[in-house]
């Protein structure tokens, strides 16, 4: 008796499995139909996640805007994202979106370089755009780069001129070419505006460890730095926490944060009147994402090419300071900006080796 | 109820309970559990690509599970599988790109390097435990951090400051065009065969050799083993080293199979820690570990498809998969309930 029951249960399980699988196939069929009508675009985040208050989020905001402009909705045939929780997810996520027939897939961050190179080779019909990295020799991959060093240079100028203690800080995520650009620009700008200024450069060795960011921020503020710039993704959350706590305890304290990638003014809000965000180095990934999406939609996908966005193309910039930067400093910043756009100043791309 | 039937029923009921509670969580958060589970199913078995990726995901879990289970069987808690796996990964990746050898020598050499690296990393806590009675849990946890940062620094040195090492040569790769062709370009690689061999090796070692008997004896009772004339210290070190070898080989799977190189790690991979759960799920038996790894790998890879196909956020997916594992792990409760129920019935009769 009992044995028969188990047999029944097992066969029911098997049957339901087959049914489920069948349902799934139907879904896949639907998505293919949907995609023929309009242009669709997807993105794969790196391990920072979609709400990293940084470039993943920024790219997503760009895609949402693109979707709105073109009357698309989230999901198949419109725009969508997939989050990666570990490095091994990149390939799977890229493939998932490609198999759902998204016309263009963004890979956000240089960590996805190898995966993009591999998947692009296999899925020759797919179009992939990678941000912050160059994939060479693939006609179906567009590489998007930013001259973050140029905007960081302006941030350096702002920090050096606004600093009262003559000491400023830089927190980097992980050492490498991309974050190196931020560091080089920031240090060069600061030294140019005030040769005596001291820049404390530290790396967190992570893009996600907010606690580490807070620890580094605490050390920097304790040692007399009053303005700290971060190019460290989620690590920067710790910097904001530390700065806001200090400001809460002592409203007169001179602690400032320079945000990164997107306008992090909201992150620095202590209360309605106080904010610790001096400005933010904008990397307009959203503009770039929209731009590339538009080009691809018009059939002009820049495959195999590297597109660089700098101050000149509004691809990078400084955010509105909401009055935190004095007008004198602002004038200086505008002067330097002009010089960089004209080519009078060449901003170093990488920090000088120590 | 016979013992045999309970053995089949318990895991089935546990998985079912996990699925039900997971479904409640999904519906409470406003998502359709049916769509969610269809997506999960498709993510595991849906097509050849997903199946290939699932098997790829299972492979390192088998090694991590074996490493933890082997240590457990010999009375040791190896929490350092994560670190041993990372050093094994680096070692295999280095051998993979630094040498140019025929395939038949290159792959075994890279695997050997990973095994040696993992073994050495586990040798330290083993030695400290055997000679100075330092608790292996503390040492292995700390060795994880040392591994993470040493490996990151080594990657920078080996690659002249870049983010990752060069790709391994074709001759060291466990991947094959054949596997790619049958699984629609998934990253499935031959490592799964190596992993299954490792399962048999562990079984043979523990159950069929004198050395294995000694190792287990030391795990059961150190004093008794010493009284019986066994060298306890030597056995502890050996047990840790073998455990580390399994972990190191798990790293080699990532180097020679999944990634083909090693990138700077922003944090732990989590495979080593999941290995603890895999081992416990498998009751520290080699074949149990295989099943535990299959469950873990399937949920991990299938879970990826839930945001993709059903739009369920990754966070909810993590809760659901954790619930399923939770219920499987607490199978003991179900076993006891079942036994009580059948006893009652007998009494009534």
């Amino acid at each position: 008796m009992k044995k028969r029951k188990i047999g029944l249960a097992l066969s029911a399980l098997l049957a339901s499995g087959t049914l489920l699988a069948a349902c799934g196939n139907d879904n896949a069929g639907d998505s293919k139909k949907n995609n023929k009508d309009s242009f669709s675009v997807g993105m794969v985040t790196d391990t920072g996640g979609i709400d990293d208050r940084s470039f993943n989020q920024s790219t997503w905001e760009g895609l949402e805007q693109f979707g709105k402009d073109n009357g698309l909705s989230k999901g198949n045939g419109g725009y969508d994202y997939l989050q990666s929780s570990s490095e091994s997810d990149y390939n799977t996520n890229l493939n998932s979106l490609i198999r759902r027939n998204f016309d263009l897939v963004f890979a956000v961050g240089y960590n996805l370089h190898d995966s993009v190179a591999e998947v692009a080779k296999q899925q020759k019909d797919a179009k992939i755009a990678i941000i912050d990295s160059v994939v060479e020799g693939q006609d179906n991959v567009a590489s998007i780069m930013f001259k973050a060093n140029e905007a960081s240079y302006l941030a350096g100028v702002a920090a050096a001129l606004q600093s009262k203690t003559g000491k400023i800080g830089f927190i980097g995520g992980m050492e490498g070419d991309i974050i190196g650009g931020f560091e080089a620009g920031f240090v060069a700008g600061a030294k140019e505006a005030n040769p005596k200024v001291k820049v404390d450069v530290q790396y967190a060795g992570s893009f996600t460890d907010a606690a580490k960011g807070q620890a580094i921020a605490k050390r920097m503020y304790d040692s007399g730095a009053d303005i700290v710039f971060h190019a460290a993704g989620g690590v920067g959350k710790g910097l904001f926490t530390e700065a806001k706590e200090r400001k809460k305890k002592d409203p007169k304290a001179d602690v400032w944060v320079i945000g990164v990638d997107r306008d992090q003014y909201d992150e620095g809000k202590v209360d309605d009147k106080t904010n610790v965000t001096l400005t933010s180095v904008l990397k307009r990934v959203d503009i770039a994402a929209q731009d590339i999406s538009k080009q691809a939609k018009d059939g002009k996908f820049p495959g195999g090419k590297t597109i660089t966005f700098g101050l000149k193309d509004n691809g990078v910039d400084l955010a509105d300071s909401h009055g935190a930067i004095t007008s004198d400093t602002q004038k200086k910043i505008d002067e330097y900006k002009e010089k960089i756009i004209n080519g009078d100043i060449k901003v170093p791309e990488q920090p000088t080796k120590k | 109820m016979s013992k045999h039937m309970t053995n089949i029923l318990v895991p089935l009921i546990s998985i079912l309970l996990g699925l039900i509670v997971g479904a409640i969580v999904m519906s409470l958060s406003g998502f359709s559990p049916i769509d969610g589970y269809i997506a999960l199913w498709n993510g595991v078995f849906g097509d050849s690509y997903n199946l290939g990726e699932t098997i790829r995901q299972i492979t390192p879990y088998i090694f991590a599970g074996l490493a933890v289970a082997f240590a457990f069987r010999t009375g040791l808690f190896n929490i350092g599988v994560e670190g041993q796996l990372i050093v094994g990964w680096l070692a295999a990746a280095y051998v993979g790109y630094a040498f140019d050898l025929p395939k038949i020598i290159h792959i075994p050499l890279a695997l050997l390097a990973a095994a040696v690296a993992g073994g050495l990393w586990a040798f330290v806590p083993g030695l400290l435990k055997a000679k100075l009675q330092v608790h292996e849990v503390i040492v292995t946890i700390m060795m994880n951090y040392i591994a993470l940062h040493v490996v990151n620094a080594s990657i920078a040195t080996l690659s002249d400051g870049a983010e990752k090492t060069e790709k391994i040569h074709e001759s060291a790769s466990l991947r094959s065009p054949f596997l790619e062709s049958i699984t629609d370009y998934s990253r499935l690689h031959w490592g799964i065969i190596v992993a299954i061999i490792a399962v048999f090796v562990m079984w043979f070692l523990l159950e069929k050799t004198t050395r294995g008997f000694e190792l287990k004896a030391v795990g059961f009772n150190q004093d008794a083993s010493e009284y019986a004339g066994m060298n306890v210290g030597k056995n502890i070190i050996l047990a840790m080293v073998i455990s580390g070898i399994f972990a190191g080989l798990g790293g080699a799977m990532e180097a020679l199979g999944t990634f083909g190189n090693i990138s700077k790690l922003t944090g732990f991979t989590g495979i080593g820690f999941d290995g603890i759960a895999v081992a416990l799920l498998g009751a520290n038996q080699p074949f149990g570990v295989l099943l535990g790894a299959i469950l873990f790998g399937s949920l991990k890879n299938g879970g990826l498809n839930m945001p993709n196909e059903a739009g369920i956020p990754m966070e909810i997916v993590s809760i659901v998969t954790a619930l399923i594992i939770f219920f499987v792990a607490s199978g003991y409760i179900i076993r006891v309930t079942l036994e009580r129920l059948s006893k009652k019935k007998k009494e009534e009769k």
Side-chain angles (χ1 to χ4, degrees):
Chain A
M1 218 19 224
K2 287 255 166 60
K3 264 194 184 147
R4 201 179 292 160
K5 263 188 198 159
I6 293 172
L8 258 173
L10 273 176
S11 47
L13 199 78
L14 269 175
S16 63
T18 336
L19 265 176
L20 291 181
C23 294
N25 288 342
D26 285 354
N27 284 355
D30 284 348
S31 65
K32 263 170 206 161
K33 257 180 260 158
N34 286 343
N35 282 326
K36 273 180 188 154
D37 313 335
S38 60
F39 184 83
S40 59
V41 52
M43 67 172 266
V44 176
T45 75
D46 72 354
T47 50
I50 196 77
D51 51 357
D52 64 346
R53 315 276 164 97
S54 192
F55 63 87
N56 284 311
Q57 191 168 348
S58 195
T59 313
W60 179 236
E61 284 165 0
L63 294 196
E64 281 182 314
Q65 188 58 45
F66 176 78
K68 218 184 271 172
D69 293 347
N70 292 282
L72 303 174
S73 57
K74 188 172 180 259
N76 279 339
Y79 57 98
D80 208 350
Y81 71 86
L82 285 181
Q83 283 203 77
S84 311
S85 33
S86 74
E87 272 95 12
S88 63
D89 298 347
Y90 297 149
N91 278 44
T92 321
N93 280 341
L94 285 170
N95 267 314
S96 292
L97 289 178
I98 291 168
R99 290 142 134 279
R100 276 164 66 189
N101 287 312
F102 279 97
D103 296 311
L104 172 64
V105 176
F106 282 92
V108 185
Y110 61 82
N111 284 322
L112 276 80
H113 175 277
D114 286 358
S115 299
V116 168
E118 190 180 340
V119 172
K121 233 174 261 166
Q122 297 162 347
Q123 310 282 355
K124 294 201 169 62
D125 296 334
K127 293 192 183 76
I128 308 176
I130 182 162
I131 288 165
D132 270 354
S133 186
V134 177
V135 173
E136 274 162 359
Q138 281 295 327
D139 284 345
N140 53 350
V141 180
S143 309
I144 304 169
M145 297 291 282
F146 293 88
K147 289 182 183 160
N149 55 334
E150 294 184 351
S152 302
Y153 187 91
L154 300 182
V157 171
L161 295 177
Q162 289 294 120
S163 172
K164 289 182 183 149
T165 56
K167 196 168 174 197
I168 56 181
F170 171 84
I171 303 179
M174 296 186 78
E175 274 178 83
D177 288 351
I178 296 292
I179 304 302
F182 284 95
E183 184 197 331
F186 185 69
V187 174
K191 294 280 178 202
E192 171 72 28
N194 176 6
K196 277 186 203 151
V197 78
K198 270 189 200 148
V199 189
D200 185 1
V201 174
Q202 298 242 356
Y203 277 83
S206 158
F207 284 113
T208 48
D209 192 346
K212 186 109 186 250
Q214 187 167 0
I216 297 177
K218 185 174 182 317
R219 265 206 307 274
M220 285 186 171
Y221 287 130
D222 279 344
S223 70
D226 55 354
I227 300 173
V228 179
F229 171 41
H230 86 92
V235 171
K237 286 181 198 165
L239 167 63
F240 276 103
T241 313
E242 178 66 21
K244 283 193 285 190
E245 269 174 19
R246 281 169 186 256
K247 198 81 180 173
K248 234 180 246 167
K249 267 186 219 150
D250 175 15
K252 281 181 204 144
D254 255 315
V255 284
W256 293 101
V257 175
I258 298 179
V260 79
D261 292 345
R262 48 194 284 289
D263 188 352
Q264 294 193 307
Y265 185 74
D266 290 341
E267 257 62 58
K269 207 167 158 187
V270 181
D271 56 48
D272 284 347
K273 281 177 199 157
T274 7
N275 195 307
V276 295
T277 311
L278 185 70
T279 177
S280 300
V281 169
L282 300 179
K283 202 152 125 184
R284 299 302 301 269
V285 193
D286 51 339
I287 288 189
Q290 287 180 61
D291 193 45
I292 301 292
S293 301
K294 256 175 233 154
Q295 289 188 34
K297 185 170 181 276
D298 299 339
K300 291 177 200 149
F301 176 69
K305 288 182 196 149
T306 304
I307 306 104
T308 312
F309 291 84
L311 275 178
K312 211 191 279 178
D313 331 273
N314 289 325
V316 295
D317 208 345
L318 274 195
D320 182 11
S321 73
H322 299 267
I325 292 178
T326 58
S327 54
D328 286 352
T329 310
Q330 190 59 49
K331 241 178 250 162
K332 278 272 187 198
I333 294 173
D334 292 341
E335 270 172 36
Y336 280 112
K337 186 174 171 181
E338 206 56 40
K339 279 187 196 165
I340 294 173
I341 293 178
N342 290 339
D344 293 344
I345 293 179
K346 265 286 217 189
V347 182
E349 281 169 16
Q350 288 304 318
T352 41
K353 287 258 156 85
K354 281 149 243 172
Chain B
M1 198 176 300
S2 78
K3 209 179 164 196
H4 192 63
M5 264 196 287
T6 348
N7 280 347
I8 301 175
L9 263 185
V10 169
L12 280 182
I13 295 179
S14 342
I15 291 179
L16 200 68
L17 273 178
L19 289 175
I20 292 170
V21 180
I24 296 173
V25 170
M26 278 192 267
S27 25
L28 282 182
S29 351
F31 299 99
S32 156
I34 298 173
D35 287 353
Y37 285 136
I38 291 173
L40 180 64
W41 177 270
N42 285 339
V44 183
F45 305 107
D47 53 31
S48 59
Y49 175 82
N50 283 328
L51 195 61
E53 281 291 320
T54 304
I55 297 173
R56 175 199 59 77
Q57 189 77 56
I58 291 169
T59 311
Y61 278 135
I62 296 176
F63 281 105
L66 288 179
V68 179
F70 193 88
F72 266 132
R73 289 294 289 278
T74 54
L76 296 164
F77 293 95
N78 184 3
I79 313 295
V81 171
E82 183 73 37
Q84 293 143 19
L85 186 138
I86 298 174
V87 293
W89 187 347
L90 176 72
Y94 176 74
V95 172
Y97 79 81
F99 297 93
D100 225 342
L101 297 163
K103 206 168 180 107
I104 194 91
I105 307 172
H106 206 169
I107 291 180
L109 187 69
L111 290 175
L112 185 71
V116 169
L120 275 179
W121 214 254
F123 172 75
V124 178
L127 185 71
L128 288 172
K129 167 90 175 178
K131 301 289 172 207
L132 301 167
Q133 277 79 46
V134 185
H135 205 291
E136 75 277 12
V137 169
I138 299 175
V139 184
T140 48
I141 290 178
M142 292 308 137
M143 293 286 284
N144 283 342
Y145 289 100
I146 301 173
L148 178 66
H149 294 289
V150 165
V151 165
N152 275 354
S154 311
I155 293 168
T157 318
L158 287 172
S159 62
D160 270 332
E163 296 298 316
K164 55 199 168 210
T165 64
E166 286 169 46
K167 284 269 179 189
I168 56 169
H169 293 298
E170 194 51 45
S171 55
S173 175
L174 282 168
R175 292 221 216 162
S176 80
F178 167 69
L179 289 178
E180 277 181 3
S181 69
I182 58 166
T183 59
D184 195 10
Y185 293 120
S186 84
R187 288 172 290 170
L188 176 63
H189 53 83
W190 290 116
I192 186 70
I193 307 289
V194 186
I196 289 171
I197 293 173
V199 171
F200 279 99
V201 167
M202 170 164 162
W203 169 78
F204 185 79
L205 200 62
L206 279 180
E207 310 297 339
K208 298 285 166 203
T209 63
T210 334
R211 177 60 68 194
F213 179 78
E214 271 194 29
L215 288 169
K216 279 190 293 183
V218 171
F220 278 126
N221 189 331
Q222 290 196 2
D223 297 326
S225 314
E226 193 160 14
Y227 189 70
M230 296 174 191
N231 185 340
V232 171
K234 197 175 130 197
N235 276 311
I236 287 178
I237 297 177
L238 185 67
M240 276 309 276
V241 169
I242 295 175
S243 173
I245 287 175
F246 281 129
L249 285 172
M253 295 302 114
E254 301 296 78
L256 309 179
T258 308
F259 292 100
N261 64 358
I262 180 167
S263 313
K264 276 191 194 170
L265 299 161
T266 52
F268 290 121
T269 62
I271 298 169
F273 301 122
D274 287 343
I276 299 170
V278 169
L280 291 176
L281 276 178
N284 297 323
Q285 303 289 336
F287 299 103
V289 165
L290 182 62
L291 294 180
I294 289 174
L295 179 71
F296 250 81
S298 304
L299 287 177
K300 177 103 199 295
N301 198 62
L304 264 188
N305 195 40
M306 289 168 80
N308 180 40
E309 212 177 284
I312 299 171
M314 210 60 216
E315 290 78 8
I316 306 280
V317 174
S318 306
I319 295 176
V320 172
T321 50
L323 277 170
I324 296 173
I325 292 160
F326 171 86
F327 275 96
V328 174
S330 42
Y332 179 72
I333 304 169
I334 294 155
R335 189 178 296 265
V336 172
T337 325
L338 277 181
E339 273 165 12
R340 289 250 169 92
L341 281 177
S342 60
K343 247 186 214 163
K344 250 186 202 167
K345 268 189 186 161
K346 261 181 204 163
E347 279 162 14
E348 278 165 15
K349 271 174 197 167

